[in-house]
Amino acid sequence: MSAGELIFLVWNDLVGISRTRGVPVAEYERRKQHGLGWALAGQSMTPFEDLADNPWGPMDEVRQTPDDETRRRLVLRPDFPPLHLALCDSLNLDGSPWECCTRSFLGSALADFKAETGLDLHIAYENEFALFAEELGWAAPFSLDAVRRIAPFADLCVAALIDAGLGLETFEPEYGVGQFEITCGPAAGLAGADRVVLTREVVREAARQSGLRATFTPKPAPDAVGNGCHLHLSFRDAEGRPAAFDAEGPGELSEVAARFCAGVQRHVAALCAVTAPSPISYLRLGPHHWSCGYDIVGVQNREAAVRICPSPAADPAERGEAFNIEIRFTDATASPYLAIGAIVRAGLQGIRDGLPCPTLVDGEPDDMSEDERKERGINRLPTSLEEALDAFGKDERVTGWFTPTMVQAYTALKRHEVRLYAESRPQHMCQRYMQVY
Ligand code: GLU
Ligand code: MG
């Protein structure tokens, strides 16, 4: 090991960027208990160079404190320094979670979910991304050619994902130019969200070490195929049995899962401010993109905001195992911790309120007449970040899941991004987001 090797303490902030400070390996043990300091106002950095209005100014700091469980040392190419990192919680000086810590926000939502339902929540993600380099050129969607052109990258990336224990399931070409997808299996609780952050960083690193760049941005260009990152949720009871499935339920949803979906549906407009939180997210969200444009829940419906994913198994006893609920209105400009935390809070609220199962919708709501949509209670998702932020501000249940300081800081940050976008052309903004995400 080189004496120059660094361990990066990484935290995923309000705009979903992995920010970091590094320590030499020999210093890590001494540093890990209290972590490293970071100015509170750092949480109000936009994805670009500027700082949004914030409640803190130059005062005070949090301790970015690594969770040793998340530490990974990954050697990709032998001639390149290893990627050595650990994910952090942002803690107050007394060791309690800071009110604007994204990871702690998810941790508390999961703890409440478990306490109130007795269930564990399992999380899996699909990670769509695009590789870009001039020489890649065009290849047919989903083709073997598309993926064999980048075989050295794929090999490096897959080996590192396996080494990191991130539950890699598939690596495949997607529909867009240079677009690929990696799916990871479910993991319980916080570890599922940690996997998302780590998977993205491993993919970026493998691209760097292959002379490429990888982007998870929701829209590489206004007319490009979007990158989603669909979130798959399932529940397990204390004995480890699947609890989101009921062969007799509507769409095979158990009662608790149906209520969860109804809670997500009820708050979807406000949730978008957290799950699709950049101006360019709304170039991706919309009908006919297989992303989703309406607030519907449907079985195997790729135009639905919430897709119910049945199991391929025929045996009813096995059908619960792979059964899960997919949330499609999420993209990689969101912090996975915030996005999942908010979804869990919305679902839990639906359970608390005993909401009835949503009407399950087949087909494309955009092909229905306006009257039919009205009759069926189908609503368009927000069409801009501004609209989503307005819905967020008006939904007191949703803002109540955050502290007032967090609502203030988050809203100011996102309104700042709206302004930046309004002053520029979509093409230019897509390029800027692509450089960051
Ligand atoms: N790329 C689509 C999206 O933006 C998803 C396509 C799929 O279903 O995999 O969400
Ligand atoms: Mg896909």
Side-chain angles (χ1 to χ4, degrees):
M1 186 188 300
S2 150
E5 184 171 320
L6 289 167
I7 300 188
F8 292 103
L9 307 195
V10 171
W11 58 99
N12 197 269
D13 69 2
L14 292 184
V15 293
I17 292 182
S18 291
R19 313 266 186 198
T20 193
R21 295 186 63 191
V23 292
V25 171
E27 281 288 299
Y28 178 76
E29 286 303 315
R30 190 172 76 78
R31 289 291 200 165
K32 78 177 183 196
Q33 193 191 347
H34 298 296
L36 295 175
W38 181 251
L40 300 188
Q43 193 66 310
S44 285
M45 297 257 312
T46 74
F48 312 112
E49 297 85 15
D50 32 0
L51 198 61
D53 283 343
N54 66 82
W56 307 291
M59 293 306 297
D60 295 332
E61 64 175 27
V62 280
R63 305 300 300 180
Q64 303 292 7
T65 311
D67 175 346
D68 235 3
E69 292 278 303
T70 66
R71 184 170 153 199
R72 302 286 194 285
R73 181 177 187 271
L74 304 170
V75 180
L76 286 87
R77 272 174 39 180
D79 58 340
F80 213 95
L83 174 65
H84 199 162
L85 78 177
L87 303 179
C88 296
D89 290 310
S90 309
L91 303 181
N92 296 313
L93 297 186
D94 65 3
S96 60
W98 181 38
E99 60 181 317
C100 294
C101 171
T102 59
R103 193 165 183 264
S104 305
F105 175 76
L106 174 59
S108 86
L110 291 170
D112 285 354
F113 181 83
K114 170 94 183 186
E116 291 182 40
T117 63
L119 301 172
D120 283 311
L121 195 113
H122 288 237
I123 298 167
Y125 247 76
E126 291 171 37
N127 295 280
E128 291 181 332
F129 63 101
L131 290 174
F132 53 105
E134 270 185 12
E135 61 279 11
L136 277 180
W138 186 87
F142 308 105
S143 67
L144 183 59
D145 182 36
V147 79
R148 288 304 295 166
R149 288 180 190 194
I150 51 107
F153 158 79
D155 191 282
L156 205 59
C157 184
V158 167
L161 290 167
I162 292 171
D163 188 23
L166 298 176
L168 174 73
E169 286 188 340
T170 62
F171 183 112
E172 58 208 88
E174 246 285 355
Y175 186 40
V177 178
Q179 192 185 29
F180 298 90
E181 177 168 328
I182 285 170
T183 56
C184 297
L190 207 49
D194 290 338
R195 271 187 178 181
V196 186
V197 177
L198 292 168
T199 299
R200 286 186 196 151
E201 295 314 326
V202 169
V203 170
R204 291 191 173 109
E205 182 68 19
R208 265 178 225 120
Q209 295 193 29
S210 306
L212 300 165
R213 297 276 298 159
T215 180
F216 294 81
T217 186
K219 272 281 187 181
D223 56 354
V225 175
N227 289 313
C229 56
H230 308 151
L231 165 65
H232 293 259
L233 300 175
S234 51
F235 310 151
R236 300 259 162 189
D237 67 14
E239 279 76 47
R241 287 178 307 229
F245 176 82
D246 177 350
E248 305 305 320
E252 296 183 308
L253 286 169
S254 66
E255 186 171 72
V256 69
R259 290 179 171 165
F260 186 97
C261 290
V264 172
Q265 185 187 45
R266 183 175 65 183
H267 295 291
V268 67
L271 287 171
C272 282
V274 178
T275 60
S278 70
I280 66 162
S281 299
Y282 296 85
L283 299 174
R284 168 182 168 259
L285 277 193
H288 309 302
H289 295 166
W290 287 17
S291 54
C292 62
Y294 291 87
D295 64 350
I296 58 165
V297 179
V299 179
Q300 278 298 28
N301 189 346
R302 286 181 164 78
E303 285 284 325
V306 179
R307 175 170 74 119
I308 299 162
C309 305
S311 160
D315 180 354
E318 277 177 42
R319 284 184 67 75
E321 283 302 318
F323 181 87
N324 66 84
I325 301 160
E326 180 189 54
I327 310 289
R328 295 177 73 82
F329 55 99
T330 46
D331 71 54
T333 58
S335 157
Y337 299 120
L338 277 189
I340 303 170
I343 299 283
V344 172
R345 289 268 171 224
L348 184 56
Q349 194 61 49
I351 296 169
R352 280 182 193 147
D353 294 347
L355 295 183
C357 186
T359 309
L360 304 179
V361 176
D362 290 335
E364 305 207 20
D366 206 54
D367 293 343
M368 298 171 192
S369 69
E370 215 169 313
D371 285 347
E372 189 180 353
R373 281 197 297 269
K374 214 174 199 169
E375 209 170 286
R376 298 175 72 169
I378 296 174
N379 303 295
R380 184 80 167 82
L381 294 182
T383 57
S384 67
L385 179 57
E386 223 171 343
E387 255 182 57
L389 287 168
D390 289 346
F392 179 77
K394 282 190 204 129
D395 192 333
E396 283 174 14
R397 271 221 196 78
V398 174
T399 52
W401 302 329
F402 304 88
T403 66
T405 304
M406 172 83 147
V407 172
Q408 183 193 345
Y410 187 77
T411 306
L413 185 51
K414 290 292 151 186
R415 294 269 182 212
H416 190 106
E417 278 184 69
V418 168
R419 277 195 298 281
L420 292 177
Y421 184 76
E423 287 159 11
S424 201
R425 282 176 306 115
Q427 173 71 28
H428 174 69
M429 290 314 282
C430 284
Q431 276 166 5
R432 294 205 73 191
Y433 279 93
M434 181 156 118
Q435 284 164 350
V436 180
Y437 294 98

